[in-house]
């Protein structure tokens, strides 16, 4: 089955710094999403981005489907950005609703 | 809309006991899924459903049963709890016209 790998596994930033999180996937996908899990455990959908670029405030994401990777950019980080960021993918031909998750990047933003 | 709701929030079971984790959504979503989250493992798919009456296995289905009698509800049953099922369980749903998944708040289960 499809493999989803995220890097780095851990990231510590000073408030105000920028960061890039990477997600590599081993097969063609028709669904690629980024999620943020806050310190209280709630999972929030950030982007649905099987290809192209999207921006939402200080966050943006780019997926290059032909090269099988996606990037999540966080600019001017804030302490509230702390948590774990997950990338999840559904391969072409995969069953609907069947997302395969990476192991996540744990982000800690220090004041 | 309440979105995706899960009950209970916390549960402690003894080995061999059975229980049902409840999941409901009020968004009329076709697709619903159950995931478990273990430290350092990300989320792994247990079972999913593409509509009422239709379910299928995910990555780690052993020891769990599901059914989908209505669009709104998707309960997860543990038949005979084992310590290896200690985990946080998340239910998710999405509509047919969008790929965005919405997650419930999770159920933290401990099996002793």
């Amino acid at each position: 089955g499809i493999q989803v790998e995220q890097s780095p596994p851990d990231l510590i930033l000073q408030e105000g710094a920028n960061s890039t999180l990477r997600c590599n996937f081993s097969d063609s996908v028709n669904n690629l999403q980024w999620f943020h899990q806050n310190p209280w455990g709630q999972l929030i959908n950030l982007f649905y981005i099987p290809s192209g670029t999207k921006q939402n405030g200080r966050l943006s994401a780019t997926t290059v489907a032909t090269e099988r990777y996606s990037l999540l950019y966080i600019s001017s980080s804030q302490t509230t950005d702390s948590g774990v960021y997950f990338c999840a993918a559904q391969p072409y031909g995969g069953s609907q609703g069947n997302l395969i998750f990476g192991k996540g990047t744990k982000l800690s933003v220090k004041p | 809309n309440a979105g995706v709701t899960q009950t209970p929030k916390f549960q402690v079971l003894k080995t061999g006991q059975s229980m049902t984790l409840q999941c409901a959504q009020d968004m009329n979503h076709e697709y619903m899924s159950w995931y478990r989250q273990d430290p350092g493992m990300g989320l792994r798919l247990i079972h999913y459903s593409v509509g009422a009456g239709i379910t299928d296995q995910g990555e780690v289905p052993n020891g769990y049963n599901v059914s989908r009698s209505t669009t709104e509800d998707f309960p997860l049953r543990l038949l005979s709890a084992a310590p290896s099922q200690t985990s946080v369980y998340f239910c998710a749903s999405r509509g047919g016209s969008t790929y965005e998944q919405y997650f419930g708040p999770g159920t933290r289960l401990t099996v002793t």
Side-chain angles (χ1 to χ4, degrees), chain A residues 11-19 36 39 57-59 74-83 85 107-111:
Chain A
L11 188 58
I12 300 174
L13 297 176
Q14 208 63 35
E15 199 168 28
N18 303 328
S19 62
H36 175 222
R58 295 180 296 103
L59 272 60
I74 304 174
S75 65
S76 304
S77 59
Q78 300 175 359
T79 56
T80 52
D81 295 330
S82 296
Y85 290 81
L107 175 64
S108 299
V109 181
K110 305 297 184 185

Side-chain angles (χ1 to χ4, degrees), chain A residues 33 37 48 95-98, chain B residues 33 37 45 48 94 99 101:
Chain A
Q33 296 183 40
Q37 186 170 38
Y48 161 65
S95 298
Q96 296 292 339
N98 182 359
Chain B
S33 310
Q37 184 177 26
L45 183 67
Y48 63 98
R94 75 165 182 88
Y99 281 101
Q101 289 222 10

